[in-house]
Amino acid sequence: MAVSSTPWALVALFLMASSTVMAIPPRKAIDVPFGRNYVPTWAFDHQKQLNGGSELQLILDKYTGTGFQSKGSYLFGHFSMHIKLPAGDTAGVVTAFYLSSTNNEHDEIDFEFLGNRTGQPAILQTNVFTGGKGNREQRIYLWFDPSKAYHTYSILWNLYQIVFFVDNIPIRVFKNAKDLGVRFPFNQPMKLYSSLWNADDWATRGGLEKTNWANAPFIASYRGFHIDGCQASVEAKYCATQGRMWWDQNEFRDLDAEQYRRLKWVRMKWTIYNYCTDRTRFPVMPAECKRDRDV
């Protein structure tokens, strides 16, 4: 619903916001060994487990990338991973951490880290697919070097919103706008995946910058492997625990004022692309962007 610019409307909007239940940060993730929640999926010889399985390295060379996936499928939850990205000249290299269902009209929630030339910042791209349709890319520069140390990347997914976090700072919110005719992931169980692969046909400057294999192998390192979700069989269409888990309580239906302040900081200072403001691709602003002021 469009909001009038009159002072009274702004006051009313403020009062409405002030009366809502304040959100709190997601509960602290629990670090577990890789084998608790995940299994390798391809190019096993390009993976290395360290420290009793509490750390995993994915290795990309000119022959192959590699990846892993969760053992279970989930409908809603909180998913977190500590990741240290490949260092140096990583143009063309993509490190991905995402949720995805497996049918043709699949749902998907993406973190994609796009490598860059030495001295240029890595780019974090997020996207949300619903019913097999994506085209909701947002890209930011990170405010740190993600190859120097581990940082935490998390997804909170419930019936009301999807929130992407970097070190507990919300960088993106995708609200359930089903009432506007916008599809939302709510009935397709998804597995978690991560992969390290060569995407120099599109990843860096639209494919203009190619992977320099003289810098291989490229190594992405992982810790944490936290999953706190509603586990479901592939046939499940709803979460049997809906309404009883911490991540679907009232506190997590929205961000609080401090979280919105941090999100605004990310949008203003670090965002380099937002599909919501791309009038070439979308002459009319998508409905969910307009209502949720995702600009």
Side-chain angles (χ1 to χ4, degrees), residues 200-259:
D200 66 4
D201 57 332
W202 66 271
T204 309
R205 294 184 60 212
L208 295 178
E209 303 286 350
K210 300 302 182 182
T211 303
N212 183 354
W213 294 111
N215 298 317
F218 302 98
I219 299 174
S221 300
Y222 297 78
R223 292 176 181 167
F225 311 111
H226 167 83
I227 294 177
D228 186 359
C230 177
Q231 191 160 353
S233 71
V234 293
E235 294 82 16
K237 297 298 183 185
Y238 66 95
C239 178
T241 60
Q242 181 65 31
R244 301 199 299 271
M245 304 300 290
W246 67 264
W247 32 259
D248 60 14
Q249 299 303 304
N250 288 344
E251 297 95 319
F252 299 95
R253 295 187 180 189
D254 201 356
L255 304 183
D256 65 22
E258 175 61 19
Q259 289 172 324

Side-chain angles (χ1 to χ4, degrees), residues 47-248:
Q47 300 186 21
K48 182 183 297 185
Q49 294 191 35
L50 305 171
N51 302 319
S54 64
E55 184 174 1
L56 178 75
Q57 291 181 343
L58 298 187
I59 302 166
L60 167 68
D61 57 26
K62 63 181 179 180
Y63 301 105
T64 185
T66 186
F68 60 88
Q69 69 178 44
S70 63
K71 294 178 179 179
S73 299
Y74 302 88
L75 273 169
F76 309 128
H78 181 237
F79 313 95
S80 181
M81 193 81 73
H82 310 314
I83 304 175
K84 183 166 62 175
L85 297 183
D89 185 341
T90 56
V93 175
V94 171
T95 308
F97 171 50
Y98 60 102
L99 286 147
S100 182
S101 60
T102 56
N103 61 359
N104 291 332
E105 294 189 357
H106 75 291
D107 295 335
E108 189 170 308
I109 303 169
D110 293 340
F111 276 111
E112 291 180 305
F113 303 90
L114 313 182
N116 218 332
R117 290 296 179 210
T118 302
Q120 299 298 312
I123 294 171
L124 171 54
Q125 175 172 284
T126 58
N127 202 354
V128 177
F129 285 74
T130 56
K133 181 181 179 181
N135 297 326
R136 298 188 180 98
E137 301 92 346
Q138 293 185 10
R139 292 184 176 189
I140 68 171
Y141 287 136
L142 293 166
W143 48 94
F144 52 83
D145 184 340
S147 70
K148 294 290 188 183
Y150 282 96
H151 290 269
T152 305
Y153 307 93
S154 307
I155 296 168
L156 175 69
W157 170 38
N158 58 32
L159 190 58
Y160 310 98
Q161 63 177 353
I162 296 166
V163 187
F164 297 81
F165 292 93
V166 174
D167 291 336
N168 210 33
I169 295 174
I171 65 163
R172 181 177 184 178
V173 179
F174 184 77
K175 292 283 191 178
N176 187 337
K178 187 179 178 181
D179 58 314
L180 300 178
V182 180
R183 296 180 68 167
F184 185 85
F186 76 97
N187 66 346
Q188 296 192 67
M190 292 197 268
K191 288 183 179 291
L192 280 90
Y193 300 86
S194 189
S195 57
L196 178 64
W197 53 294
N198 175 39
D200 66 4
D201 57 332
W202 66 271
T204 309
R205 294 184 60 212
L208 295 178
E209 303 286 350
K210 300 302 182 182
T211 303
N212 183 354
W213 294 111
N215 298 317
F218 302 98
I219 299 174
S221 300
Y222 297 78
R223 292 176 181 167
F225 311 111
H226 167 83
I227 294 177
D228 186 359
C230 177
Q231 191 160 353
S233 71
V234 293
E235 294 82 16
K237 297 298 183 185
Y238 66 95
C239 178
T241 60
Q242 181 65 31
R244 301 199 299 271
M245 304 300 290
W246 67 264
W247 32 259
D248 60 14

